[in-house]
Amino acid sequence: MRTRRAYGLKRPKIRQSWNKYNLYNLSRAEPPSLALNTFFQQKWTAKGIARAYHGETVREKQWQRMFRRRLRAVVPMDHNQLARSDGYEHAEGRGSGLEPHPNKKPRPFPRTPYMHMTFAPLERRLDTAIFRAMFASSTRQARQFVVHGDVKVNGKKMIYPGYQLNPGDMFQVEPERVLFATGAPKDARERRAGRVARQKRAKTSSKDEDASSLNPPPTPAPETPVPETPEQDTKGTLQSLLSQARSLLTTPATASALSGKRKQELRVFQRTLKKTLSRSSLFPQQATNLTDSLDAQLQELTQKLNLNPPSPPQRDEKDRVDSRDLGPETLTPENSSLLRNALAEARENPIDVTKPYATPWRPRPYMSAFAFIPRYLEVHHRICSAVYLRHPVARPGLGEVPTPFGNDTNSLAFNWYLRRR
């Protein structure tokens, strides 16, 4: 019912949403025909169309208090040109009848769309900024995230969607909420798998609770003292590890196979060993644990040398083996790199039926038409945070407030609110 009422197709109104019906209304939107209307009716119609998109969740009285007749704009000027000249060339030949050369016509300066800045104060709202940063699929969903406590401003939880951001403020949304908002929804099969997983988990937890209530935990037996092991030769083990690392770097056959990154890792490992050997007072248990960790680190560095095994030699037709019988050690370098990339992607983006969105995660449909970031926001999608750099301004040929309406509609809406101040 909410979708049918907000994204009607008979009398379409454009909303701040990624909904497919809203995208369809946006594709067939046309300027309203106001030729036979009075000026009052033109302003009223333009105000209604523009307010359906800008600040849909903001009350009219609240927006009238936020409205400002002063529109922010800047004129970009070339500092090199200002340093070279004081503008005398623009007055050359004035009043003397000197005409410019017909082949050197002055380039027209683009007009500044001041009227696109009519609803600029609404871009400071926290819910609008979350939608502009692509952390939510609509301003209503962004408002829900804020009210539910999933948004922080400057490190503190903020539950007011109408909070006015100041330049330099950083806001952050919970990554799980962003994945849910921007990810594709589940289909019927995935929803059923999620319900089955939740039912199994509920049955397992109920069985565990019943078993714990019937069988109380036994009293723990008194601990028996563990005899202490003699101190190990930690210094000798560290010296042997240091000699192995030095041999890997000095042996010509091994050094030629090492890349620059691997050599740097081995040198860092050598410095760590030398610092450890310089310590005169190490507890036995601490020294044993440190030796084990260093030994494991050296083994890992040594194994990295054989990540790309050489390709198998060419065989005759008699000695050929079916490709299905080849093991992982006979993979070509290209196939091994593809396998590593596939494993890394499966580890970073696994299949989890308990998530409220489709897994592996993929972007939701009809999202590319709205995938843009305004200039006044600096967004980091990996940590789901953004910085409100400054207030939006109008430039020659560009208005930084995203709006689907033209200059005429915004001008009529501005004049409607201008007479009510």
Side-chain angles (χ1 to χ4, degrees), residues 27-149:
S27 65
R28 65 192 184 111
E30 296 180 356
S33 57
L34 305 174
L36 302 179
N37 296 347
T38 63
F39 188 47
F40 178 88
Q41 293 172 341
Q42 293 178 13
K43 292 188 293 183
W44 173 266
T45 305
K47 184 267 299 185
I49 295 174
R51 282 283 286 123
Y53 179 82
H54 295 283
E56 175 194 2
T57 58
V58 181
R59 295 189 301 272
E60 186 68 14
K61 289 292 184 183
Q62 185 179 357
W63 159 240
Q64 288 181 6
R65 290 193 298 268
M66 294 172 61
F67 175 77
R68 296 291 181 270
R69 65 176 63 205
R70 179 184 177 185
L71 304 177
R72 299 178 182 270
V74 295
V75 178
M77 306 181 71
D78 188 5
H79 59 279
N80 296 321
Q81 175 67 20
L82 293 176
R84 287 193 305 265
S85 172
D86 58 353
Y88 71 92
E89 66 274 4
H90 297 289
E92 184 178 2
R94 182 174 297 175
S96 62
L98 182 63
E99 297 293 336
H101 196 275
N103 296 333
K104 294 183 179 180
K105 294 182 178 179
R107 187 176 60 180
F109 197 72
R111 300 177 62 183
T112 303
Y114 293 101
M115 294 297 102
H116 286 193
M117 307 300 297
T118 301
F119 298 96
L122 291 173
E123 302 297 315
R124 292 184 58 186
R125 287 177 57 93
L126 181 58
D127 52 358
T128 306
I130 291 172
F131 172 72
R132 298 297 188 196
M134 295 180 62
F135 293 154
S137 60
S138 65
T139 50
R140 288 183 175 271
Q141 190 177 50
R143 183 184 182 90
Q144 185 185 41
F145 290 170
V146 177
V147 173
H148 289 184

Side-chain angles (χ1 to χ4, degrees), residues 192-402:
R192 183 178 181 280
R195 288 195 300 269
V196 171
R198 287 193 296 270
Q199 291 173 2
K200 287 183 179 179
R201 194 189 313 148
K203 289 181 180 178
T204 305
S205 61
S206 62
K207 288 181 180 179
D208 293 343
E209 291 177 358
D210 295 342
S212 61
S213 61
L214 294 177
N215 302 325
T219 57
E223 297 182 356
T224 57
V226 180
E228 296 183 358
T229 58
E231 296 185 6
Q232 301 178 358
D233 190 8
T234 306
K235 189 173 182 180
T237 307
L238 294 177
Q239 288 177 351
S240 65
L241 291 175
L242 183 61
S243 62
Q244 292 178 29
R246 190 180 294 111
S247 64
L248 286 174
L249 287 173
T250 55
T251 306
T254 311
S256 61
L258 283 172
S259 63
K261 186 176 181 181
R262 301 293 177 240
K263 290 181 181 179
Q264 185 178 3
E265 290 178 352
L266 282 173
R267 292 191 186 100
V268 172
F269 182 72
Q270 279 185 326
R271 288 197 295 268
T272 306
L273 285 175
K274 290 179 181 178
K275 288 181 182 179
T276 308
L277 285 172
S278 63
R279 298 176 186 174
S280 58
S281 59
L282 275 176
F283 295 104
Q285 186 64 28
Q286 183 181 359
T288 304
N289 296 338
L290 185 58
T291 305
D292 296 340
S293 64
L294 291 175
D295 194 5
Q297 186 178 355
L298 180 61
Q299 291 179 2
E300 182 182 357
L301 291 175
T302 309
Q303 290 174 0
K304 285 181 179 180
L305 301 179
N306 301 323
L307 279 177
N308 294 327
S311 57
Q314 299 291 336
R315 299 182 181 180
D316 298 336
E317 294 183 0
K318 297 180 180 179
D319 300 335
R320 284 184 181 176
V321 185
D322 191 1
S323 60
R324 291 173 294 183
D325 298 335
L326 296 178
E329 65 277 358
T330 59
L331 290 175
T332 61
E334 293 80 6
N335 292 338
S336 61
S337 64
L338 290 176
L339 180 60
R340 286 197 301 272
N341 294 337
L343 291 176
E345 184 178 357
R347 184 168 55 252
E348 294 177 358
N349 193 9
I351 297 177
D352 189 358
V353 295
T354 61
K355 299 293 184 181
Y357 47 87
T359 54
W361 186 91
R362 56 187 181 274
R364 61 181 301 164
Y366 311 104
M367 177 182 173
S368 59
F370 308 95
F372 66 93
I373 304 294
R375 290 190 175 189
Y376 53 87
L377 290 178
E378 186 69 27
V379 184
H380 197 306
H381 286 286
R382 287 188 175 272
I383 58 176
C384 300
S385 63
V387 178
Y388 184 80
L389 300 176
R390 52 179 173 76
H391 300 311
V393 295
R395 303 174 182 273
L398 173 67
E400 291 186 351
V401 175

